[in-house]
């Protein structure tokens, strides 16, 4: 975390705001969000539901348009970044197409990019292996468990091979053991590929375990209340979660969440 | 074995019940005329005579099931297909206009659905007309339409098929529009993150998602196409087809002929719907969708 100035900014937001016009009045999903994410960061966004985590990720992905402030992705507008296919997005649900096999689901973005069949097959095989799904390529989504489906959707985002990965509570619906396993795999992958990852979660241990930067958010209006830089070592066995340093960081996240949360 | 039996048993029970009721009505509805005849001829009659004789009329008010079965046998197996009295001949005439009308209706329906979904202006301008089109009682005016089309020189298969088309495109448009709009917003967002073109969005997402909806509509469309074809055969002058058989039968009081044409039409409808169902099932299965 020493060479901050030399690393390029992947995402920069200033006074970013987004207000939805709902039927029962405006909803301030995001307000005055300042954020800088550098290349190679693993950033977790944590906060109670409704604090704008998904909205923020969608703004980065150009799926939602901010109503105030500014944001750049790779130095471009989010729209330009999207048109250049600068990021892979993993949704909260696997969002696999039911009529395509796992292989062809992963190949979908590659077809759209117009890759050659050989290149496509190669990337599909590689990413299937990366998420531990080799041998399941010919199966249809319904033949796989929820955890495997979510891994397939991660493989799909990886096959896309963008330097930025946006993940919206990808493991939210999975049980603890599968989740631990996928967390480990995701960390491995991050180390191996050096991608920049934005990861939404509402689990404190997950956020602390995975990230080198934790963005704590609070609702009404959705805003960033704390940004915590984690100095946990790059090598993180699962039992690091019992270490003193881990618990200290977790405590700080918890405090941040509590302060931002009003129980009216 | 058990499961096959347990599926057949309820159906067999219902069929048996229908038969009992049918035979009962045959005796009941045909007996006034029969009793009248006994009295005129001064014949002593027993209940057994009545039952036997009411089931043997040439032109009964209601023919007995076995009379219809014999008539169907005679006019299919025992008649040459080229004969004007062959039910297979008439059935195939009806079938060809049903299939032609169904094919045109399906193509028209898909085309309209695509333009409605892909073009906002089309959605606004076309949809009200499509709905309005179905408020016209086409079945009631079909014979007139056939006569008018005949007068302008359109005769034979095409006018009948046009009635079927008119009836069958509607369920296809409605189902297909629903199907093309069925993809989850999340899937649409997914495609946007790939910077997908409209064409890709259509071919890789909307169209495959619409297939189950299309088949569901086609089951309705093919049954209604058959109705359209038969109605199109009703006007005087029509000489071939199940509809013409119905009409000719009613002119001459040939109730057995009417009923055998009716039963044949019902069987044809069942077969057509089953064929579409099977194709649907196989296709969806091959697509990995559990049908
Ligand atoms: N399309 C929308 N229209 C109106 N309100 C929305 C919309 N999307 C999200 N919101 C509102 O914005 C707030 C933030 O939502 P979201 O970003 O989904 O929160 P989170 O992901 O942190 O749970 C919530 O109050 C939510 O109801
Ligand atoms: Mg969310």
């Amino acid at each position: 975390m020493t060479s901050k100035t030399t690393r390029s900014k992947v995402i920069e937001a200033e006074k970013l705001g987004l207000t939805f016009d709902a039927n029962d009045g405006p909803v301030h999903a995001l307000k005055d969000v300042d954020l800088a994410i550098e290349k190679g960061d693993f950033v977790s966004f944590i906060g109670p539901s409704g604090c704008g985590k998904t909205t923020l990720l969608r703004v980065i992905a150009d799926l939602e348009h901010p109503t105030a402030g500014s944001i750049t992705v790779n130095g471009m507008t989010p729209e330009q970044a999207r048109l250049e296919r600068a990021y892979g997005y993993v949704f909260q649900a696997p969002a696999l197409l039911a009529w395509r096999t796992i292989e062809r689901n992963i190949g979908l973005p590659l077809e759209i990019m117009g890759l050659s069949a050989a290149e496509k097959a190669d990337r599909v095989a590689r990413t299937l292996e990366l998420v531990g799904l080799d041998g399941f390529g010919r199966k249809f989504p319904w033949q796989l468990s929820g955890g495997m489906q979510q891994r397939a959707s991660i493989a799909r985002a990886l096959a896309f091979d963008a330097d930025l990965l946006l993940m919206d509570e990808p493991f939210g619906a999975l049980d603890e053991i599968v989740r631990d396993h996928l967390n480990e795999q995701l960390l491995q992958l991050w180390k191996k590929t050096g991608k920049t990852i934005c990861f939404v979660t509402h689990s404190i241990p997950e956020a602390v375990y995975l990230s080198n930067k934790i963005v704590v958010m609070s609702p009404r209006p959705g805003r960033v209340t704390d940004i915590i830089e984690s100095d946990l070592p790059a090598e993180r066995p699962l039992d690091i979660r019992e270490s003193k340093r881990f618990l200290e960081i977790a405590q700080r996240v918890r405090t941040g969440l509590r302060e931002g949360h009003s129980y009216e | 074995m058990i499961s096959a039996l347990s599926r057949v048993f309820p159906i067999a029970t219902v069929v048996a019940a229908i038969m009992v009721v049918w035979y009962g009505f045959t005796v009941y509805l045909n007996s006034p005329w029969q009793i009248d005849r006994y009295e005129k001829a001064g014949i002593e009659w027993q209940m057994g005579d009545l039952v036997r004789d009411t089931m043997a009329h040439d032109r009964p008010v209601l023919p007995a099931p076995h009379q219809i079965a014999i008539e169907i046998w005679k006019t299919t197996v025992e008649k040459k297909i080229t004969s004007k009295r062959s039910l297979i001949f008439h059935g195939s005439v009806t079938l060809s206009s049903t299939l032609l009308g169904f094919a045109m209706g399906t193509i028209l329906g898909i085309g309209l659905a695509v333009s409605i979904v892909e073009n906002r202006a089309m959605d606004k301008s076309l949809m009200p007309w499509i709905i309005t089109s179905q408020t016209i009682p086409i079945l009631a005016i079909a014979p007139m339409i056939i006569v008018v089309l005949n007068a302008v020189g359109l005769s034979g298969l095409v006018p009948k098929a046009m009635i079927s088309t008119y009836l069958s495109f509607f369920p296809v448009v409605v189902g297909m529009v629903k199907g093309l709009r069925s993809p989850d917003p999340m899937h649409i967002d997914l495609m946007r993150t790939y910077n997908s073109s409209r064409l890709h969005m259509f071919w890789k997402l909307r169209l495959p998602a619409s297939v189950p909806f299309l088949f569901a509509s086609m089951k309705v469309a093919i049954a209604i196409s058959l109705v359209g074809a038969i109605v199109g055969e009703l006007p005087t002058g029509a000489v071939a087809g199940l509809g013409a058989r119905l009409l000719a039968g009613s002119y001459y009081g040939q109730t057995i002929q009417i009923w055998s044409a009716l039963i044949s039409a019902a069987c044809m409808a069942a077969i057509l719907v089953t064929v579409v169902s099977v194709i649907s099932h196989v296709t969806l299965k091959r697509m990995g969708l559990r049908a």
Side-chain angles (χ1 to χ4, degrees), chain A residues 53-55 92 168-169 200:
Chain A
K53 305 183 295 293
T54 297
T55 306
Q92 204 160 344
D168 188 3
E169 296 194 42
V200 171

Side-chain angles (χ1 to χ4, degrees), chain A residues 88-128:
Chain A
Y89 199 107
V90 179
F91 292 85
Q92 204 160 344
L96 299 170
L97 301 182
W99 56 87
R100 282 176 171 249
T101 58
I102 297 303
E103 239 167 41
R104 297 196 57 233
N105 262 292
I106 297 172
L108 175 69
L110 311 180
E111 280 171 31
I112 292 172
M113 289 163 77
L115 295 192
S116 72
E119 168 83 12
K120 213 168 61 188
D122 183 53
R123 282 210 205 176
V124 169
R126 211 150 20 96
T127 47
L128 267 177

Side-chain angles (χ1 to χ4, degrees), chain B residues 20-84:
Chain B
V20 169
V21 173
W22 191 328
Y23 274 107
F25 268 98
T26 307
V27 174
Y28 175 71
L29 290 173
N30 296 337
S31 53
W33 186 83
Q34 187 64 43
I35 294 170
D36 199 42
R37 242 181 71 158
Y38 287 148
E39 281 169 358
K40 277 186 184 142
I43 299 171
E44 287 283 311
W45 58 276
Q46 302 282 303
M47 199 56 205
D49 301 323
L50 185 68
V51 169
R52 188 192 60 238
D53 292 338
T54 48
M55 290 184 191
H57 289 177
D58 278 346
R59 296 173 183 188
V61 178
L62 178 68
H66 69 264
Q67 289 179 290
I68 299 168
I70 290 167
E71 167 77 8
I72 290 177
W73 178 265
K74 278 194 199 148
T75 50
T76 53
V77 180
E78 293 179 359
K79 276 270 171 341
K80 269 198 263 169
I81 291 179
T82 49
S83 160
K84 280 277 184 310

